[in-house]
Amino acid sequence: MVAYGKKLRELQIQEWKGYYINYKLIKKKIKRYAEQLEVGAQNRHNVLRDFSMLLDNQIEKIVLFVLEQQGVLAHRLSDIGKEHYTLIQQPNSSNISELQEAYRDVGRDLLRLLNFVEMNAIGLRKILKKIDKRFGYKFTDYYVKTRANHPYSQLRQVFRHVGIGAVVGVLSHGLADLQDLQQCQGSYISIYDQPSYTHQDSVLNSIKEAVGRLSNSTNFLQFLGRHAFIMQEELPSPSEDHIVDERYHFMSLLLNLANTFLYMVNTYIIVPTADNYTLNLGAAASVCGVVIGTMAVAQMFSSVYFSAWSNRSYLRPLVFSSIVLLIGNTLYALAFDMNSIVVLLIGRLFCGLGSARAINRRYISDCVPLKLRMQASAGFVSASALGMACGPALACFLQTDFRIFRFTMNQDTLPGWVMSLAWLLYLLWLWICFKEPTHENEGNLVLYEADTGPAVHVAVENERTQPLLMNSEEKEQDEEGEEENDNAEETKKPVTSIVVAYKLLTPSVKVQLFVYFMLKYAMEIVLAESSLITEYYFIWSTSNVSIFLACLGLTVLPVNIVVGNYISNMFEERQVLLSSEIMVCIGLLLSFHIMIPYSVTQYVGSALITFVSAEVLEGVNLSLLSKTMSSRLSGGTFNGGLLSTQAGTLARVIADGTITISGYFSESNLLNTTLLPALLISVSSIIATCYSYNSLY
C-alpha cells in the first residue's frame, strides 16, 4: 500500500500543483504539535485554533480555485454555444464532429477538475482522522460541527459538487442535440422534456462516476455492494490494477459466490425446524437457540484462521471448508437416528468451523479488478441474500418422512442430508475449476524480512556515500522521501493481533461497529425465535414459518433498489443511518406483547419493519465504516472485514443464547424477554450515533 502523500505527488496535475492541499505541511505540523503536547509546551485550545485556521486556509484555496476553473469552463461552453446555435441554422456534418469534440474537450477538463476535488477531499478526510488519532480528542467532531453546518460552509463545497451539475447539463444537452442533427432525425431532443433520455458518451459516463464518488450519489449496485464491506485503496495506481487484472479468473469468482450462497442456505435451512428437532431429541424447544448459535460461535474462530490462511492460499482453505461442512451436515442429519443432542450440536459446530466468508470477501478484494469489484461485491451480497431466502424456502419442500436403509429422512434430517450432497458436488466443482491466483503477499513477506536484515546495511551504505553538503532543494526532497518511506512502512505494516487492530479504531469507528452489532442482534432475534413465537401464539406449521422467513429474505433486493436509487441520493449517509436506527427501535417496540391479544398482523408488521430497517442500516453503516476506518485495516489477517464479521457474529451468539435462556425460564414471556435487551441496545446505539454524528462526514 503506497502512502497517500506519495500518490498525491504522482497523480496530481502539475500545472495545478500549488492548489492542492498541502498534505506534507499539515503532517509536519501534526507531528510537531504532538511532540509539544507531550512535553507540555502547547495546550489543546491553541492546537485546536491553529489547525482550524490552517484547514480553513487550505479549503479556501481549493474552493476558490475550483470556482475559477468552473468559470473558465462556463466561458468555453458559452463560446461553443454560439457556434452551436449557428450550426443549427445551417447544419454541416464536418462542423458537427468538430463541435462534438469541443464539447468532449470541456468534458475532459471537467473530469480533471472533479479528480482534483476528489483527491483533496480524500486528503482532508485523512488529515482529520490523523489529527484525532495523534491528539487523542475529537477535532473532527468540532471542525465539522462548526464548519459543515454553517450557511457559508466551504468545507461542504469540497465534499459536495457546486455548479458541476449545471456544466454537466450543458454538455449532455449539447451532445444529445448534435447527435440528433448528425443522424438527420430533424427532431429536437430535450433532456428536460425527456428526463429518461441520456446521451451515451464515454466522457459523460466518466463524469457521472466522478460526481457520484464526490457527492455520495449512488445506485442500486453501489449501495448493495457496500454490504460486502470490501475496503480498498482510495487512490489505486495503474500498476496495482494491472497486478489484480492478471489474478482475475471468472470461474473462480463464480465458485467463490457459490460458496457464499451455499453457506447462507446452510445457515438458515434449519431455522424453521430446529425447535422441532430438539424436541424430538428430548430437549426443550428453546434449545434451538443454542443449536442455531453454535454455528455462530464456531464462526468467530473460523473467521480468524481462514483470514490468516488466505494470506497464502485460496483454494486449500475453500477445499478444507467444504470438507468440514460436509462432515458437519452429515453429523447433523445422523443425530436423529443416534438420538443425541450432542451429535446435533457437534454437527452445527463443524458447520461454523467451515465458514469461509472471510475467504469469500478477501478473494473479491484481492483478485477482482477495480472496474468489476463493485459488481462482484454486489454479487457477494446478492448471493448471501438469495441464500438467506432459499434456506427456509427449501426447508418448506422437505416436509416428508421415509427411510433409506437405516437412515431416517424427515423434515429434521433432510436439511442435513441435502446440504451434505450440495457440499460434495461443490467440492468436486471447486477441485476441477478453481484457479489459484498468484499471491502478492509472498513478495510482501520478502519485503518485511528485508526490512529487518540486509536493507539496514544498504541504508547505512547509502548514507556513507551521500555527499556531506546538499543544496536546499535536494535536502528537502530527501527529507520528503524519507518521511513518505516511513509513512509507507507504517501503512504496509500488517496488523498482527486483534489488540493492535482495536487500538487503531477511533471513537466513531467503535460506534459504527456497535451499530453493526445492534442491527445483527435485532435481526437474529427476529429470525431465530420465529418458529417458537409463531407456534406459541399462532400455531403455525413449519411450512408457514418457512414461507415467512423466505419472504423476509426476499425483501433485501427490492429494498436496496429503492434506497440505492432514491433515498441515499436525497439524504446524507449519516442522516439515513440515524433514521434507520430509529426505525429499528420502532419495529422492536411494536413487537412487544402488552395487554392486548397478540395478532399475526402485529407480529409480521413489526418484524418486517425491524428487518427491512436493519437491512438499510447495514448498507449505510458499512459504507461509513469504510470511510472512517484506518487504511491499515484494509488488508492482512486482522482487517476491517474480519472486525465487522466478529462484531456481527458475536451479536448472533449473544442473541441465540438469550433466546435459549429466556425460553428455559418461561416460554410464555420469551417474546418480551428477548426483545427487551434488543431494545436497550438499539436505544444505546442511537445515543452513541448522536454523540459521534459530526465525525461521520
Side-chain angles (χ1 to χ4, degrees):
M1 184 183 297
V2 183
Y4 171 80
K6 183 176 180 180
K7 282 197 172 181
L8 181 62
R9 292 198 306 274
E10 290 176 352
L11 301 178
Q12 68 184 2
I13 300 167
Q14 289 304 310
E15 59 264 33
W16 295 353
K17 182 178 179 180
Y19 300 100
Y20 284 87
I21 184 173
N22 198 331
Y23 192 74
K24 177 187 171 186
L25 170 67
I26 300 174
K27 276 183 58 182
K28 285 184 176 179
K29 283 188 173 290
I30 291 173
K31 184 178 180 181
R32 187 179 70 197
Y33 276 127
E35 293 171 350
Q36 291 177 348
L37 283 170
E38 286 179 4
V39 299
Q42 276 283 4
N43 62 64
R44 293 181 181 272
H45 176 74
N46 290 338
V47 171
L48 192 72
R49 182 198 61 200
D50 290 352
F51 268 105
S52 296
M53 291 176 59
L54 177 60
L55 287 183
D56 286 344
N57 291 334
Q58 291 291 315
I59 292 170
E60 184 177 281
K61 173 184 70 175
I62 295 167
V63 171
L64 290 177
F65 177 74
V66 171
L67 292 175
E68 178 186 342
Q69 292 301 310
Q70 287 179 5
V72 172
L73 295 178
H75 183 72
R76 288 171 60 188
L77 284 174
S78 178
D79 291 341
I80 296 172
K82 295 174 183 177
E83 297 179 27
H84 190 161
Y85 179 78
T86 303
L87 187 63
I88 292 174
Q89 306 302 318
Q90 297 177 346
N92 186 302
S93 58
S94 61
N95 291 343
I96 290 176
S97 299
E98 292 177 3
L99 210 54
Q100 283 177 326
E101 194 57 33
Y103 274 122
R104 292 192 183 103
D105 284 340
V106 174
R108 294 185 190 100
D109 287 340
L110 176 60
L111 189 58
R112 294 171 75 214
L113 185 62
L114 286 169
N115 290 334
F116 167 84
V117 177
E118 184 179 8
M119 290 184 69
N120 283 292
I122 293 171
L124 283 171
R125 280 201 176 99
K126 286 184 174 292
I127 285 296
L128 290 171
K129 286 196 290 185
K130 193 176 291 290
I131 293 174
D132 282 352
K133 179 183 175 183
R134 292 297 296 268
F135 297 154
Y137 62 94
K138 297 196 300 179
F139 175 80
T140 302
D141 186 77
Y142 159 77
Y143 193 77
V144 172
K145 184 177 181 180
T146 53
R147 267 63 174 179
N149 298 326
H150 195 276
Y152 305 125
S153 169
Q154 292 184 339
L155 179 65
R156 183 180 293 274
Q157 294 185 43
V158 176
F159 291 97
R160 303 287 184 270
H161 56 89
V162 180
I164 299 295
V167 178
V168 176
V170 174
L171 287 172
S172 301
H173 175 263
L175 286 169
D177 189 29
L178 290 175
Q179 185 185 44
D180 181 51
L181 283 175
Q182 195 173 40
Q183 294 174 352
C184 301
Q185 293 177 356
S187 61
Y188 176 73
I189 297 179
S190 171
I191 59 173
Y192 307 107
D193 296 333
Q194 302 180 42
S196 60
Y197 177 83
T198 54
H199 175 67
Q200 297 299 322
D201 190 282
S202 58
V203 174
L204 289 178
N205 291 336
S206 299
I207 291 172
K208 183 179 178 181
E209 291 176 5
V211 170
R213 291 194 303 270
L214 184 61
S215 64
N216 285 329
S217 64
T218 185
N219 57 36
F220 163 59
L221 278 180
Q222 289 174 322
F223 187 78
L224 189 66
R226 291 173 187 172
H227 290 64
F229 193 48
I230 295 172
M231 296 177 64
Q232 59 191 37
E233 285 196 70
E234 294 158 314
L235 296 172
S237 63
S239 59
E240 291 164 349
D241 284 345
H242 179 67
I243 293 172
V244 175
D245 283 341
E246 291 180 345
R247 306 174 75 193
Y248 176 62
H249 182 238
F250 175 75
M251 184 56 71
S252 299
L253 174 61
L254 189 61
L255 281 160
N256 191 63
L257 297 179
N259 184 283
T260 301
F261 169 77
L262 286 176
Y263 186 78
M264 293 304 290
V265 172
N266 208 152
T267 301
Y268 289 99
I269 193 173
I270 71 151
V271 173
T273 58
D275 57 334
N276 186 68
Y277 203 167
T278 56
L279 282 172
N280 288 333
L281 295 180
S286 59
V287 176
C288 71
V290 173
V291 174
I292 297 170
T294 301
M295 193 171 180
V297 172
Q299 189 178 347
M300 293 188 66
F301 298 96
S302 66
S303 297
V304 177
Y305 68 73
F306 274 126
S307 182
W309 202 347
S310 65
N311 291 325
R312 301 185 300 275
S313 173
Y314 294 103
L315 176 60
R316 289 193 291 272
L318 284 175
V319 169
F320 176 77
S321 164
S322 303
I323 294 172
V324 171
L325 282 159
L326 175 61
I327 296 172
N329 282 288
T330 303
L331 289 173
Y332 182 85
L334 290 173
F336 188 90
D337 292 308
M338 298 175 69
N339 195 29
S340 173
I341 190 72
V342 175
V343 174
L344 183 73
L345 293 174
I346 292 174
R348 289 298 284 180
L349 188 70
F350 267 71
C351 289
L353 292 174
S355 170
R357 287 179 68 81
I359 300 286
N360 304 145
R361 184 183 281 111
R362 182 81 179 269
Y363 183 86
I364 294 173
S365 177
D366 291 350
C367 303
V368 177
L370 188 61
K371 59 187 176 183
L372 298 175
R373 199 168 298 164
M374 185 56 68
Q375 292 90 324
S377 300
F380 173 83
V381 178
S382 299
S384 299
L386 190 59
M388 182 181 177
C390 286
L394 188 58
C396 183
F397 293 102
L398 302 178
Q399 307 301 303
T400 185
D401 192 354
F402 61 95
R403 294 180 68 85
I404 298 179
F405 300 109
R406 297 182 179 179
F407 303 120
T408 302
M409 302 290 171
N410 58 22
Q411 65 173 4
D412 298 332
T413 63
L414 276 173
W417 292 120
V418 168
M419 292 312 304
S420 294
L421 178 60
W423 285 114
L424 177 60
L425 295 175
Y426 175 79
L427 182 60
L428 296 174
W429 184 23
L430 180 72
W431 188 258
I432 296 170
C433 298
F434 191 88
K435 179 183 177 182
E436 180 75 87
T438 55
H439 263 255
E440 60 180 349
N441 287 351
E442 295 173 3
N444 289 344
L445 291 175
V446 176
L447 284 174
Y448 296 136
E449 292 171 3
D451 287 343
T452 58
V456 176
H457 302 293
V458 173
V460 173
E461 185 178 348
N462 287 340
E463 185 177 346
R464 289 173 181 168
T465 57
Q466 284 179 350
L468 295 177
L469 296 176
M470 294 187 295
N471 61 45
S472 59
E473 184 178 352
E474 289 175 340
K475 187 175 181 180
E476 183 179 351
Q477 289 177 351
D478 184 68
E479 290 175 354
E480 184 177 345
E482 182 180 346
E483 181 184 355
E484 290 298 342
N485 287 335
D486 291 342
N487 190 61
E489 183 179 345
E490 181 183 351
T491 55
K492 278 184 179 180
K493 188 177 180 181
V495 177
T496 55
S497 70
I498 198 75
V499 176
V500 176
Y502 183 80
K503 289 180 180 179
L504 291 172
L505 305 182
T506 61
S508 59
V509 173
K510 292 175 183 176
V511 168
Q512 291 308 297
L513 285 174
F514 179 61
V515 171
Y516 190 71
F517 174 92
M518 180 275 291
L519 71 91
K520 286 298 182 183
Y521 186 95
M523 291 175 72
E524 188 69 11
I525 289 292
V526 171
L527 298 173
E529 70 177 11
S530 58
S531 58
L532 290 171
I533 297 301
T534 54
E535 183 179 359
Y536 180 81
Y537 286 103
F538 318 126
I539 320 179
W540 277 10
S541 65
T542 300
S543 297
N544 290 334
V545 178
S546 301
I547 293 171
F548 168 68
L549 293 176
C551 290
L552 278 183
L554 289 174
T555 62
V556 172
L557 296 181
V559 166
N560 280 283
I561 289 174
V562 174
V563 177
N565 287 333
Y566 302 104
I567 295 178
S568 62
N569 293 325
M570 297 168 62
F571 304 98
E572 293 182 11
E573 287 181 327
R574 54 183 181 170
Q575 294 172 332
V576 179
L577 179 88
L578 187 57
S579 301
S580 301
E581 288 182 77
I582 294 172
M583 289 304 298
V584 170
C585 187
I586 291 173
L588 293 172
L589 277 171
L590 293 175
S591 299
F592 278 88
H593 179 206
I594 303 174
M595 306 277 297
I596 60 175
Y598 203 59
S599 66
V600 174
T601 303
Q602 180 184 352
Y603 174 74
V604 173
S606 58
L608 190 63
I609 292 173
T610 303
F611 186 83
V612 168
S613 301
E615 271 298 322
V616 175
L617 179 59
E618 183 175 1
V620 70
N621 167 249
L622 294 179
S623 177
L624 286 169
L625 259 177
S626 66
K627 293 177 182 177
T628 55
M629 191 170 279
S630 169
S631 58
R632 282 188 63 188
L633 295 172
S634 62
T637 301
F638 297 94
N639 52 63
L642 177 65
L643 294 180
S644 63
T645 299
Q646 294 294 73
T649 306
L650 180 63
R652 291 174 53 204
V653 170
I654 296 175
D656 292 328
T658 304
I659 292 170
T660 298
I661 295 171
S662 301
Y664 178 79
F665 286 109
S666 173
E667 190 172 345
S668 61
N669 294 322
L670 173 65
L671 179 66
N672 290 347
T673 307
T674 53
L675 286 175
L676 183 59
L679 181 64
L680 293 176
I681 294 171
S682 176
V683 172
S684 300
S685 74
I686 293 172
I687 295 172
T689 299
C690 292
Y691 181 70
S692 63
Y693 186 76
N694 289 312
S695 299
L696 307 175
Y697 195 75

